[in-house]
Amino acid sequence: LKVENINVYYGAIHALKGISVGVKQVEIVTLIGANGAGKSTLLQTINLLQGYQGDLRLFGVRPDKVTATDLRRRCSMVFQEALLLDGSVAENVAWPLRFRRVADAEIKSRVQQALIDFGCEHLSDRSAKHLSGGEAQRVCIARALATEPELLLLDEPFAALDIAIRSSLLEEIRSVAKRRGITVVLVSHSFSDVLDFAERAVVLIAGRIRQDNRPEVLL
Ligand code: ATP
């Protein structure tokens, strides 16, 4: 991923101001910054959900209308709030695979593996709308990984969870990402959360990158 001199405006609000940053394949990076710094805007720009000015290359390709959907399908994004639909946990994990027209047998095995990887196989037949916060976010991570993304974008998915659950989920994501060679960009408010998780921390302040270094150096 490479973004160069990216600017994003929401009307009169200049949310990203000349951002340039690159992320290498298999790297684990966090975006850190205060409320309103532009972290979510940058993540959504990377996921091609947000209009921008400047140069962006995802998987080495400059997106246009033709390539955007294909590029986006090589990414998975998990949001702060668990976005689950009616139906069972297994059905929720399966739906992005159905969009991608994956064969039924393959869907079944990928859903099962993703639920096992994130310790939610016991929830498979439960209604996705009636899970605890931690269970629901586990299912969202399992769903994101079932699509076998090359780039995983995490927008503070654990902000509402307690610290013990947060650090164990981050550890599980790190280990799956390293095992499968997935590049990860995680948005976080908390240095302590990401100290053991990320190889690099990019600090955003008021729409600009102010630091970009190993997390322990930034402390
Ligand atoms: P938080 O940690 O609070 O989630 P953030 O770092 O993710 O914040 P963004 O959500 O990217 O910040 O917002 C960056 C700036 O752009 C803020 O000033 C915000 O108010 C503004 N903004 C974000 N989305 C919109 C929108 N849809 N319309 C107008 N302004 C927006």
Side-chain angles (χ1 to χ4, degrees):
L1 163 74
K2 199 164 166 57
V3 305
E4 269 186 278
N5 197 22
I6 290 285
N7 286 280
V8 170
Y9 294 87
Y10 296 110
I13 296 167
H14 192 178
L16 295 183
K17 301 171 182 160
I19 298 281
S20 296
V21 68
V23 178
K24 290 191 233 115
Q25 212 173 345
V26 195
E27 208 175 8
I28 296 187
V29 177
T30 62
L31 289 177
I32 295 192
N35 291 127
K39 305 178 299 294
S40 299
T41 301
L42 181 53
L43 216 59
Q44 289 185 14
T45 305
I46 293 169
N47 203 23
L48 309 179
L49 295 170
Q50 173 64 55
Y52 60 89
Q53 297 170 9
D55 194 33
L56 185 155
R57 281 161 201 257
L58 192 51
F59 311 113
V61 177
R62 190 181 284 129
D64 57 25
K65 284 202 174 86
V66 181
T67 56
T69 305
D70 288 341
L71 292 173
R72 200 179 296 121
R73 283 188 175 179
R74 294 166 69 181
C75 308
S76 274
M77 186 150 167
V78 182
F79 298 88
Q80 191 163 343
E81 282 167 27
L83 300 173
L84 294 167
L85 304 176
D86 287 335
S88 71
V89 163
E91 283 160 356
N92 268 268
V93 177
W95 70 253
L97 300 173
R98 298 204 188 287
F99 278 134
R100 287 162 168 81
R101 299 187 191 284
V102 175
D104 284 351
E106 171 83 12
I107 290 180
K108 205 171 166 201
S109 75
R110 281 214 229 165
V111 167
Q112 196 178 11
Q113 190 57 53
L115 292 175
I116 290 169
D117 282 345
F118 280 89
C120 20
E121 67 274 30
H122 62 292
L123 302 173
S124 180
D125 297 326
R126 291 262 301 272
S127 159
K129 290 280 192 191
H130 299 107
L131 300 174
S132 73
E135 288 169 342
Q137 281 303 34
R138 270 180 189 277
V139 170
C140 289
I141 300 283
R143 180 176 61 190
L145 285 166
T147 64
E148 300 182 351
E150 292 161 69
L151 176 61
L152 180 63
L153 301 167
L154 303 170
D155 193 354
E156 296 199 78
F158 313 130
L161 308 182
D162 70 49
I163 188 150
I165 295 176
R166 282 208 309 262
S167 47
S168 87
L169 273 173
L170 284 172
E171 184 43 46
E172 286 166 56
I173 291 173
R174 187 184 161 78
S175 114
V176 171
K178 286 292 164 200
R179 204 164 61 234
R180 298 202 200 149
I182 301 168
T183 309
V184 184
V185 181
L186 166 78
V187 164
S188 178
H189 276 108
S190 154
F191 275 110
S192 59
D193 269 7
V194 300
L195 198 53
D196 297 324
F197 177 75
E199 291 144 7
R200 234 174 99 199
V202 174
V203 181
L204 271 180
I205 299 177
R208 290 198 165 86
I209 292 181
R210 294 298 188 184
Q211 281 184 294
D212 182 349
N213 213 322
R214 286 180 289 123
E216 62 272 27
V217 173
L218 298 183
L219 275 176

